[in-house]
Amino acid sequence: MSFSLTTKLPFEDDEFDHVHIQAIAKGVPENKWGILFEEVNRVLRPGGSVEIIEDDVMFPLLPRWFTSALRSQARRDTSVHYPDGSRRSYPSPPNTPQNIPAHDHALLESLNKSVFEHRFINLKPTAVLPSYFTTYFRQVTLGPVINFPMPPIPSPQPLPPQTINSYSIGLDADTSDSRPSTSCSPPINRPNSSSLSSTISASTTSTIGSNDSFVFSVRPRTTSASFSSTFEVGDTSAKPRPFNRFLLDGSLSESEIAALPRSLFPLEQLEALSERSLAMHLYRSYQSILACQEAMWEELKDRIINRKEELIPYGWDDDEELEELKNRKKFERLLERYKSDMQARISLWCSLTGIGWEFPARESLSKAELMEEERIRDSLLEARRFVSDDERQVPCRSLRVLVGHKL
């Protein structure tokens, strides 16, 4: 059912015992919430209840240490070796300017934010809704703002069975030993062990531990010989860093949280969630960004025509002679890169194999393709050295539940 905020709901007074509202905040200007709740109050019977579940407008961020690793190229040696054994170094390329955007998708984030601001839509409905809600309803119960952090770092997709380099790393290692060698798995079934390879026991599934360790593949072990990339697990006695599956805002004390009705705030169910469930929250958030792409394109066109100086910090080198079609293709490339990076971050295949789905067989890679995948793996392992605990717990979704009654 469609509903305009300038007209009445097509229902009689006191018609419903319960009204449920969810995920409409991205289409309601802040000065229209009063009109909406007044109509809900009108169609609700005395003693009836109203429930609302809303998300904040959030642009899920991917830090540079992650996206740069996906796109970094092998660095060439900046020196030349002469036959006499001498060596001459050439100056390294200049450092990256300090005024670059905070992350690779900063322009898309700015466009998405402007889409809502220009429509007078508050980006944090979880903060403003309680004041409107308590004006029109009584016996109100305000749930805490629940923040779901980014999921643990996913594992890369398994390599196809073929001769590849072998690495020997620990779960918490910062670098890898990439001495070339080959490993051939014998034609027998092995019990589960601490060796993570591209052909492991069929009863083993891919999981992401609380220490964000990489699990590089999950192919069932077959009776035929195959080559694999083996990762030997080092000392796992170190205590893993805690990983919170959800975070609450600091406005409620522990006693207030404990007093919340379990039907509104099922604490036990939240604590029982798996870490991979966070990937679905991230997927939902980034899909909401893609849903706004046409509005973001209109915002970009307006900036190109009227406010070109706002694009300078994002490196948009628009030419006045460029046709609109070329600008559109450039915008679509930005979206494709964002989707590709998000798909790598979510790694939906990892969630599916974790519940028993078999990973589809991959075709053998060429030498160049194999080297590129190994380079990305090395880059991600190296980049993980720079991730902080705060970055590991950056929210990708925030929501709140409110319940009230009409007296």
Side-chain angles (χ1 to χ4, degrees), residues 296-313:
M296 293 163 63
W297 164 241
E298 294 299 324
E299 171 65 22
L300 177 59
K301 286 197 300 183
D302 181 65
R303 292 191 188 186
I304 291 174
I305 297 173
N306 303 313
R307 298 172 287 141
K308 191 174 296 185
E309 68 281 356
E310 295 182 12
L311 297 173
I312 295 177

Side-chain angles (χ1 to χ4, degrees), residues 34-219:
I35 298 176
L36 173 63
F37 287 146
E38 186 175 352
E39 277 298 289
V40 172
N41 187 281
R42 179 183 67 82
V43 301
L44 198 61
R45 293 174 182 172
S49 60
V50 56
E51 175 187 50
I52 181 168
I53 304 175
E54 283 300 339
D55 288 53
D56 285 338
V57 178
M58 184 171 293
F59 189 95
L61 302 178
L62 294 177
R64 283 194 181 276
W65 66 261
F66 182 83
T67 56
S68 297
L70 295 176
R71 287 185 278 277
S72 64
Q73 299 296 325
R75 182 178 297 177
R76 294 184 177 180
D77 194 350
T78 58
S79 62
V80 176
H81 297 263
Y82 292 96
D84 60 0
S86 61
R87 178 176 176 176
R88 179 180 177 183
S89 297
Y90 289 88
S92 300
N95 293 331
T96 305
Q98 296 299 317
N99 58 348
I100 61 175
H103 56 91
D104 282 357
H105 308 295
L107 176 56
L108 293 180
E109 180 187 21
S110 175
L111 295 174
N112 184 257
K113 182 179 179 181
S114 296
V115 164
F116 294 101
E117 289 181 340
H118 292 167
R119 291 164 173 77
F120 306 103
I121 295 174
N122 196 296
L123 301 179
K124 288 189 173 293
T126 59
V128 301
L129 281 180
S131 60
Y132 290 100
F133 200 72
T134 54
T135 300
Y136 292 91
F137 304 102
R138 299 294 179 264
Q139 297 179 353
V140 172
T141 302
L142 303 178
V145 178
I146 306 176
N147 298 301
F148 293 98
M150 299 286 282
I153 306 300
S155 58
Q157 294 184 9
L159 294 174
Q162 64 189 89
T163 303
I164 59 177
N165 285 344
S166 176
Y167 297 82
S168 178
I169 62 173
L171 285 178
D172 296 321
D174 295 327
T175 57
S176 60
D177 180 6
S178 57
R179 291 172 293 182
S181 66
T182 59
S183 173
C184 180
S185 55
I188 58 174
N189 290 327
R190 290 181 180 174
N192 294 350
S193 66
S194 59
S195 176
L196 308 177
S197 67
S198 61
T199 52
I200 62 176
S201 171
S203 62
T204 305
T205 56
S206 173
T207 58
I208 302 293
S210 60
N211 58 354
D212 292 0
S213 58
F214 277 76
V215 180
F216 282 84
S217 59
V218 284
R219 287 183 64 85

Side-chain angles (χ1 to χ4, degrees), residues 382-397:
E382 176 67 17
R384 290 174 67 222
R385 297 171 53 193
F386 305 101
V387 61
S388 65
D389 289 341
D390 290 339
E391 285 180 315
R392 294 171 68 245
Q393 300 283 261
V394 171
C396 66
R397 186 186 181 192

Side-chain angles (χ1 to χ4, degrees), residues 276-310:
R276 285 305 301 170
S277 68
L278 297 174
M280 303 310 298
H281 293 292
L282 177 57
Y283 180 84
R284 186 185 191 279
S285 294
Y286 115 84
Q287 285 294 319
S288 70
I289 303 299
L290 299 183
C292 300
Q293 59 182 304
E294 292 305 319
M296 293 163 63
W297 164 241
E298 294 299 324
E299 171 65 22
L300 177 59
K301 286 197 300 183
D302 181 65
R303 292 191 188 186
I304 291 174
I305 297 173
N306 303 313
R307 298 172 287 141
K308 191 174 296 185
E309 68 281 356
E310 295 182 12

